[in-house]
Each structure stands twice: as structure tokens, then as C-alpha cells.
Amino acid sequence: GKGDHEGALQNLVLASAALLANDKRIEVAFVDCSIGDSYVALNHYDEAIFSYHKALAVFKSEYGERHTAVASVYASLADLYLRTGKFREAKTHCENALIIYGRQGAGHSSDEIATGLTEIAGLFESMGENKQALSLLQKALEIMENTPGQQSAVGGIEAQMGVLFHLIGKHEEAYMVFKRAVSKLRLGASKKTWLLGMLLNQLGLACVGLNAIWDAAENFEEARSIMEEVCGPHHADTLAINSNLAGAYDAMGRVEDAITLLEDILEVKEDRLGTVHPDVEDERKRLTELLKESGRSRSRKTQTLQDLLVLSTKHSCRFLGNVTPVQ
């Protein structure tokens, strides 16, 4: 979870050895899947394939060839082959997994099937097969809607469907599923979450596709408020939403508000990424065009001599042991 995949791998290998010493074959197979995931994260694909196939052999032996654990390994292998550009192998493994997930009522729990269909849908989306992905998500949605206590999961599936509808230009369908997803998340115990913020942003984009600019701006504004609280005002996701909001303000004729937002975004990105980064260039072009239309030039925040002296003092204090700079 911290991104220390080498550390994770070392502990997983130790766990596997301990379980194997106690003849826990099935548990070892599940650990082998995690070992494969760690190898994928480290771009050691041959080792990952070996680990996945070890797990696959055990699952087939212990559970049979039509168990969801087998399907899960097929999905992991499909993801690996997608990463390495082997699309035919990836699709074959997706189809093998779908044969298993399609056997609803064959001893598989409904949430296992829905989760599996959702995962395979994501893989088909990565292959550019958006209609197939939508079909699988619709099946997963039908399963989860009939399962008690799964409102959050249903909202997540609807969010994925909304993204796909948006990608293929079906903005009205995107708007409807995003609207439903947002409504479900609002019912959750935690009202302000990263996911709700991002869904409101997607709902805003769907509104843009429908030329409902004022509605789009309202959604972007609420998304910004949530993301500033959850992630902070300078987080990359917050900046992206602000960029969308600036576009909405521009379309509404609120050019000064759009310029203010873009100036703030550009200042943060220049500080983080430098002045020649492609993302910085894109924001600068947008800002320059707006400024040109309004007959203005960019206002830059300058540092006085006093500011520079304070900044220099703070930087020096970082190297002076126990001396703490005044905030």
C-alpha cells in the first residue's frame, strides 16, 4: 500500500515458506497470487507469470477448473499481458475468466461474480472494447442491485458505466448513471469523500456534453469544495477540477473568474513541475488566450526583499539541528 513492492515481496516469500512448511497448499496459492502482483508492480513479468501459474495449478487441483479463484488468476494474467502489449493472450484469458463468471448459481456468491465481471470489464475497457465493457458492467449492476447492503458497490459500478458512456459520446446516459451514483454515495455514512468529489466532476463533464454549462459549473464547484477539504487545495485532482471549472466559467462569460482560477493553477504547477512541463504549457496557453481576449497580461506574484530574506532564513534553519524556523 505504501508502494514498497520489494519489501512486500520479501515478506510474502517468507509467508509462503511458513505456510508451505505447514502444508497449507491453498493458502500458499493465494500468497503466490500476491507475489505475482508484486512482481508485476516491479516489472518482473516472467517471475509474475511463474507465480500466477503456480497458483493456477493449485486452484484447479483443489477447487476444479470452474472456480472463481481460477477466474481471478486468469484476470491477473490478462492484466499482465495487457501491460506487455500481448492483446491476444490478454483477451483469451479474459474470455476464460468470463466462462467461469458466467456460471451464475454454480456455487459462486453473487458478489464474487459481480466483482469478477467488473474487473474483466476494466480490462476490456483498457483494450478499447467499450461496448463489451459496458455489457459486463450492466450484468454486474443487475446482480448487485438485487443484493442487500450493496449501495456503495452499485454506485461504483454506475460510476464506471458513466465514464464509458462519456467516452463513447453518450452524454445523456452518462449523466443519468452519474446522477444515480452520486445519489447513492450521498446516502453513505461519510458525506464528503474523494470518490464523491470525482463523481461530481464526472457529472459536470456529462453536463458539458449536454451543453448544460450552468449545471456543470455547480457540480464542479461542489466537487472542488469536497476535494479541497479531503485532499487539499493544491492536490492534483483538485487542480484538475479547478481547470474544468475555469472552462465552465469561461463558457458562462465569467472570464475574470476563469482567469483567476487558471492563474492559481499555473502558479502551483510551475512551482511543482517547472515552466517547460507539457501540463504547464497547456495551462499557460489557455490562460494566455483568455488574457488576450480580455486585453490583459498575466499578473505574477513577486517576492519582496523581505520575503526573500525570510525564505532564505527558513531554508537555512532546516540544516541547523534543533533550531525550528518560525512559521
Side-chain angles (χ1 to χ4, degrees), residues 43-50 53 74-96 123-124 126-129:
N43 299 323
H44 295 170
Y45 297 120
D46 290 339
E47 293 88 340
I49 291 172
F50 178 74
H53 277 288
Y74 284 144
S76 295
L77 284 165
D79 178 59
L80 183 153
Y81 286 124
L82 265 180
R83 291 169 182 263
T84 55
K86 297 180 178 179
F87 298 106
R88 182 182 300 175
E89 291 87 342
K91 191 168 184 178
T92 297
H93 282 88
C94 283
E95 290 168 349
N96 289 337
L123 293 171
F124 274 110
S126 298
M127 288 186 277
E129 299 192 19

Side-chain angles (χ1 to χ4, degrees), residues 161-303:
M161 292 177 68
V163 171
L164 286 168
F165 279 131
H166 181 74
L167 287 173
I168 63 178
K170 293 189 175 183
H171 302 297
E172 189 169 347
E173 290 89 340
Y175 174 82
M176 295 303 296
V177 292
F178 280 136
K179 191 78 172 175
R180 291 199 299 268
V182 166
S183 297
K184 290 181 176 67
L185 285 181
R186 289 192 194 279
L187 297 174
S190 179
K191 300 294 183 182
K192 293 186 176 182
T193 63
W194 175 88
L195 181 57
L196 178 58
M198 296 308 291
L199 277 179
L200 284 164
N201 178 62
Q202 294 294 335
L203 182 58
L205 291 173
C207 289
V208 171
L210 294 171
N211 291 319
I213 303 301
W214 273 261
D215 291 337
E218 287 182 8
N219 286 302
F220 291 144
E221 286 171 344
E222 186 179 357
R224 176 182 63 174
S225 175
I226 291 172
M227 296 302 284
E228 285 181 343
E229 184 174 331
V230 174
C231 301
H234 295 160
H235 190 275
D237 292 333
T238 309
L239 294 177
I241 291 169
N242 275 336
S243 183
N244 290 336
L245 180 57
Y249 282 160
D250 180 26
M252 294 164 63
R254 295 172 57 178
V255 178
E256 291 300 320
D257 291 331
I259 288 173
T260 299
L261 276 175
L262 289 176
E263 285 180 334
D264 291 342
I265 293 168
L266 187 56
E267 183 178 349
V268 173
K269 287 191 173 183
E270 283 180 340
D271 184 55
R272 289 183 177 176
L273 304 175
T275 58
V276 296
H277 192 278
D279 288 348
V280 176
E281 287 289 339
D282 291 339
E283 297 293 357
R284 187 182 294 114
K285 286 179 183 177
R286 290 181 63 195
L287 178 58
T288 301
E289 288 174 5
L290 278 180
L291 290 170
K292 187 176 180 180
E293 290 174 9
S294 63
R296 286 176 47 191
S297 59
R298 182 183 174 191
S299 60
R300 296 176 178 270
K301 294 181 180 179
T302 59
Q303 292 176 312

